[in-house]
Amino acid sequence: MLVEISGKQVEVADGASCADALQEGLSKKQFKNVVAAKCGDAIVDLSTPVTETCTTIEPVFADSEEGLGIIRHSAAHVMAEAVKKLFPTAKVTIGPSITDGFYYDFDYERPFTPEDLEAIEKEMLSSVGANKEFSRTVMSKAEAKKLFESKGETYKSEIMDDLGGDEFSIYTHGDFADLCRGPHVARTGQIKAFKLLSVAGAYWRGDEKNKQLQRIYGTAWEDPKALKKYLTRLEEAKKRDHRKLGKQLDLFSFSDEVGPGMSLWHPRGMLLRAILEDFERKEHLKRGYQLVQGPIILKRELWEKSGHYDNYRENMYFTEIDEQAYGIKPMNCLAHMIIYKRKIMSYRDLPQRYFELGVVHRHEKSGVLHGLMRVRTFTQDDAHLICRPDQVEEEILDLIKFYKDIYALFNYEFDVELSTRPEKSIGSDADWELATEGLRQALDKSGMPYAINEGDGAFYGPKIDFHLRDSIGRSWQCGTIQVDFTLPERFDIVYVGEDGERHRPVMIHRAMLGSIERFIGVLTEHCAGAYPVWLAPVQARLLNVTDAQADFVKKAEAFLVSKGIRIEADTRNEKLGYKIREAQVEKIPYMLVIGDKEVEAGCVNIRSRDGDDPGMVTLEEAAQLILDAAKAPFKAGGMSYSFSG
Ligand SMILES: [Zn+2]
Ligand SMILES: [Zn+2]
């Protein structure tokens, strides 16, 4: 039979496997790094026979996204094998691959300890060393149930009942068999670099009412070098953990007394937020947005009308006032539409661009809450652009430019994804086509490279997602742009066209930074707490050497405050070295040291956080230097933004 391998025609024998075919079509060196095969859109085991139905075969390499997913998921199987060997009474549940790694949930009588993890890792190494083959068999439901029940694996039975169907595939390597759709690496020896990372409690099916399980997290990579790089990144991430820095810099905290997933903002953190939010308001006003605000709670009927009650209810909170049910808003769209409807809009009034720093509440499961990155109460920098269909493309182009300018200010590079219509969606084919084309054409015109995420749009419309890449290579989804034809329809919002008739406008939902909380969390880790000077809540700190300079410190403080600089004075009776060390830990951009010599000259001695030492300068010069540093990123980002304006 003739098959095509990466564009090359190769003759293979009847009954040959994908591995045989790939071996023919690739060099030895290339083939060594192949973990699976791609037949059309399907990724299959290398052992899968080549058939007439798929004669175009592509290799899946170990270092590709798909290849890594397969290696990681295979590592989860090997981990389960090791756990069952060391702790025979543990029951296996599920073990998927995740971003950068994998996990497996076990039902076991106690949490696993770090020593257990070491032992499990050792056992895994021995399984990898034995280079066991992964083999796939298909069984009837009855057979599969019998197999797992004989091993006491009750969860697998439950999973089969849930999945439905009469046949299931089972993957076996060594003595360990698992219910699994596959694919897998051909042999355990292809799992060349892995490490177990941590244990956490997790509930069966993520439901707190169910039994608590023990989840072991691990990571696996194509080779030891890639693993090492990742572990170094993890170490770096730990150092930058925003929850740790939040305490160290006295910015924000969480409290059990208040509730999980709800942040408390301390004076310094709130100042940082206020500067960021103030900046956002100004930037939006400059671009023709109008500031609006709706209430936190809105009548339940409104959420029924919008479809949120049907599609999003589990994530919402409800309350009752005077026998009227209310929903606490998880999004800001509805009030904006009511605001739009306050008067008759004509085609000349469009687009209407409403901006709100809107506080929303979403019920996230307690297990997924994580510092500021995943909270239950947060503020979105949300806007709704209500425009004529012919304005959609230009609005989106402007948005892309806007986002680009702002992200550059924080030294972010970013990736863009266009998500198209999902299987479950509302709205007509024509509307989806129009909306998706609008987004696509705007992206093409912007010249920005983008990936397409087939079927990952919102149920009411396609969207563009912006993923920020941070300084240690992680990616964070922050900005979105969504085109929506449905809500205008449901709320019957209209404009009067040139023809004097009523027409339906299009609604664009968009958030640039996303959640302010999350953005600050991401930014804190991106810059390791050393915020750009324009945003730092404390830009400079005055440090005196002895009490003798106290009066001059006061005078200097008053002068710098008058120049609009956010300054603190540390006049404690501590050693200068100690005070400098503390300012460094708090990542204060500038330390202004004042000793007798400086008092005499009417100067300060500047030391910067980055190690620059401009030395002795006058107060006037010090003020200018700090103000220039605060403006610098705006110049670099190509924005004409005056800090005081
Ligand atoms: Zn599997
Ligand atoms: Zn919205």
Side-chain angles (χ1 to χ4, degrees):
M1 187 177 3
L2 214 52
V3 274
E4 191 183 311
I5 310 275
S6 301
K8 199 166 129 191
Q9 297 290 328
V10 175
E11 178 68 35
V12 297
D14 276 354
S17 66
C18 290
D20 297 331
L22 286 167
Q23 211 159 359
E24 280 299 314
L26 301 173
S27 74
K28 224 175 181 171
K29 202 174 151 211
Q30 282 173 319
F31 182 69
K32 240 179 71 188
N33 291 318
V34 175
V35 290
K38 205 170 185 176
C39 297
D41 283 336
I43 297 183
V44 298
D45 297 321
L46 284 173
S47 58
T48 309
V50 180
T51 62
E52 299 286 353
T53 52
C54 185
T55 50
T56 310
I57 302 173
E58 292 295 326
V60 175
F61 289 111
D63 62 353
S64 67
E65 201 179 313
E66 290 143 334
L68 283 169
I70 292 169
I71 291 174
R72 286 167 186 156
H73 174 62
S74 302
H77 277 236
V78 173
M79 177 164 78
E81 176 201 13
V83 168
K84 289 292 293 184
K85 189 154 180 204
L86 296 170
F87 310 94
T89 57
K91 289 183 185 177
V92 293
T93 65
I94 54 159
S97 69
I98 51 174
T99 310
D100 297 335
F102 60 89
Y103 69 77
Y104 211 115
D105 285 349
F106 302 95
D107 180 356
Y108 191 55
E109 64 219 36
R110 61 165 178 82
F112 293 107
T113 63
E115 292 74 36
D116 293 337
L117 289 200
E118 257 174 60
I120 295 165
E121 212 173 82
K122 229 183 190 166
E123 192 58 44
M124 287 172 73
L125 277 174
S126 108
S127 176
V128 167
N131 201 19
K132 299 173 186 174
E133 190 182 347
F134 273 94
S135 65
R136 180 179 194 269
T137 37
V138 175
M139 288 184 190
S140 70
K141 188 172 178 179
E143 267 181 302
K145 275 202 159 186
K146 217 172 108 192
L147 171 77
F148 288 112
E149 273 159 21
S150 74
K151 295 170 185 275
E153 301 293 8
T154 47
Y155 289 92
K156 295 289 170 187
S157 254
E158 211 182 312
I159 294 170
M160 278 187 264
D161 288 337
D162 266 17
L163 286 173
D166 309 322
E167 278 192 337
F168 291 92
S169 58
I170 310 290
Y171 278 80
T172 309
H173 71 279
D175 306 328
F176 183 76
D178 206 345
L179 177 74
C180 181
R181 208 173 291 152
H184 276 282
V185 294
R187 311 190 74 95
T188 55
Q190 285 183 300
I191 306 165
K192 288 181 187 145
F194 68 91
K195 175 136 188 69
L196 300 189
L197 299 172
S198 59
V199 189
Y203 295 99
W204 171 233
R205 298 185 187 290
D207 187 338
E208 284 146 64
K209 285 180 217 114
N210 288 340
K211 191 157 188 196
Q212 189 166 35
L213 307 171
Q214 305 302 326
R215 174 172 298 176
I216 303 181
Y217 285 100
T219 186
W221 295 82
E222 69 273 21
D223 59 31
K225 211 172 121 196
L227 172 66
K228 194 168 167 229
K229 199 171 147 201
Y230 174 68
L231 293 177
T232 310
R233 197 174 92 189
L234 270 192
E235 273 307 305
E236 188 51 43
K238 222 185 249 170
K239 275 189 246 160
R240 293 163 177 256
D241 190 322
H242 72 284
R243 295 166 298 181
K244 199 183 104 196
L245 285 167
K247 263 191 216 130
Q248 190 176 313
L249 276 58
D250 194 17
L251 300 173
F252 53 81
S253 59
F254 292 85
S255 159
D256 280 343
E257 279 182 273
V258 175
M262 294 164 187
S263 50
L264 294 162
W265 290 81
H266 308 177
R268 263 188 217 162
M270 194 57 216
L271 183 53
L272 184 144
R273 255 190 96 132
I275 296 162
L276 185 63
E277 293 182 353
D278 194 31
F279 164 71
E280 278 227 80
R281 285 195 191 93
K282 282 179 191 155
E283 289 302 321
H284 281 83
L285 285 170
K286 274 198 326 206
R287 289 169 174 80
Y289 286 73
Q290 304 177 75
L291 307 182
V292 295
Q293 186 171 311
I296 302 275
I297 63 173
L298 295 86
K299 280 185 181 173
R300 193 179 93 177
E301 287 79 359
L302 220 51
W303 299 108
E304 287 168 349
K305 198 167 164 181
S306 68
H308 285 90
Y309 192 77
D310 282 341
N311 292 297
Y312 203 69
R313 193 172 43 209
E314 322 77 73
N315 297 81
M316 289 179 64
Y317 303 99
F318 292 91
T319 186
E320 206 182 280
I321 302 164
D322 295 341
E323 286 161 53
Q324 166 68 51
Y326 285 84
I328 300 175
K329 69 172 173 179
M331 294 163 193
N332 308 297
C333 334
L334 305 197
H336 292 194
M337 277 187 294
I338 307 293
I339 291 169
Y340 176 90
K341 283 178 79 163
R342 74 193 183 281
K343 61 179 188 187
I344 296 167
M345 298 284 179
S346 99
Y347 67 97
R348 283 196 205 90
D349 297 320
L350 300 190
Q352 290 279 309
R353 305 185 188 96
Y354 298 148
F355 177 66
E356 176 175 359
L357 285 159
V359 177
V360 296
H361 290 76
R362 292 182 189 174
H363 181 222
E364 299 278 2
K365 286 190 174 144
S366 60
V368 302
L369 297 175
H370 177 80
L372 292 178
M373 306 304 196
R374 200 81 174 259
V375 284
R376 286 179 173 166
T377 306
F378 58 96
T379 304
Q380 277 183 312
D381 66 335
D382 202 3
H384 293 94
L385 283 57
I386 300 173
C387 60
R388 303 191 307 262
D390 65 286
Q391 294 172 318
V392 171
E393 190 183 304
E394 200 185 325
E395 286 304 305
I396 293 168
L397 266 172
D398 284 348
L399 277 174
I400 293 172
K401 167 92 176 53
F402 188 8
Y403 284 23
K404 229 169 141 176
D405 282 353
I406 300 292
Y407 296 157
L409 264 188
F410 298 95
N411 279 326
Y412 281 121
E413 304 216 16
F414 58 92
D415 301 306
V416 182
E417 269 176 18
L418 170 62
S419 296
T420 60
R421 187 176 193 169
E423 246 169 70
K424 234 181 98 183
S425 63
I426 52 177
S428 72
D429 289 353
D431 284 349
W432 272 92
E433 178 68 26
L434 205 66
T436 312
E437 269 319 295
L439 289 176
R440 198 193 304 270
Q441 275 168 25
L443 279 171
D444 287 342
K445 269 198 190 154
S446 76
M448 193 141 45
Y450 61 94
I452 291 184
N453 217 342
E454 218 61 74
D456 210 33
F459 69 90
Y460 52 81
K463 57 174 182 163
I464 302 177
D465 289 327
F466 294 77
H467 300 260
L468 304 186
R469 250 177 289 138
D470 75 9
S471 56
I472 56 171
R474 295 171 303 176
S475 176
W476 304 90
Q477 201 235 298
C478 285
T480 56
I481 301 174
Q482 305 189 343
V483 179
D484 178 7
F485 289 90
T486 308
L487 277 184
E489 189 81 41
R490 289 198 172 193
F491 280 75
D492 192 27
I493 64 173
V494 294
Y495 68 92
V496 178
E498 227 168 327
D499 54 5
E501 299 289 319
R502 288 152 54 99
H503 295 273
R504 191 73 72 207
V506 182
M507 188 158 169
I508 300 172
H509 309 249
R510 47 112 289 178
M512 182 164 56
L513 306 185
S515 141
I516 298 287
E517 279 76 0
R518 186 163 183 272
F519 184 80
I520 291 178
V522 172
L523 178 65
T524 301
E525 300 198 359
H526 176 54
C527 67
Y531 302 106
V533 179
W534 69 272
L535 189 58
V538 181
Q539 295 173 310
R541 185 176 284 170
L542 288 157
L543 311 170
N544 57 338
V545 181
T546 67
D547 275 347
Q549 299 98 33
D551 283 345
F552 185 70
V553 169
K554 262 196 198 129
K555 195 182 133 200
E557 187 181 5
F559 175 78
L560 293 166
V561 166
S562 78
K563 293 285 178 187
I565 290 166
R566 297 185 292 277
I567 184 111
E568 274 180 5
D570 182 355
T571 52
R572 290 173 304 166
N573 202 0
E574 296 283 357
K575 283 219 167 69
L576 180 63
Y578 177 83
K579 293 203 251 189
I580 288 176
R581 173 83 198 113
E582 216 171 71
Q584 279 168 338
V585 168
E586 291 172 30
K587 322 261 173 162
I588 311 274
Y590 295 101
M591 289 158 269
L592 313 180
V593 178
I594 298 174
D596 284 339
K597 214 168 68 192
E598 284 78 17
V599 173
E600 213 170 288
C603 287
V604 292
N605 210 317
I606 304 195
R607 300 168 65 117
S608 89
R609 163 179 78 185
D610 315 319
D612 280 356
D613 278 336
M616 214 149 90
V617 295
T618 64
L619 287 177
E620 190 69 50
E621 285 166 338
Q624 200 51 53
L625 191 141
I626 296 167
L627 291 173
D628 284 348
K631 270 186 215 144
F634 295 93
K635 288 181 193 146
M639 292 176 64
S640 54
Y641 181 74
S642 120
F643 190 72
S644 51

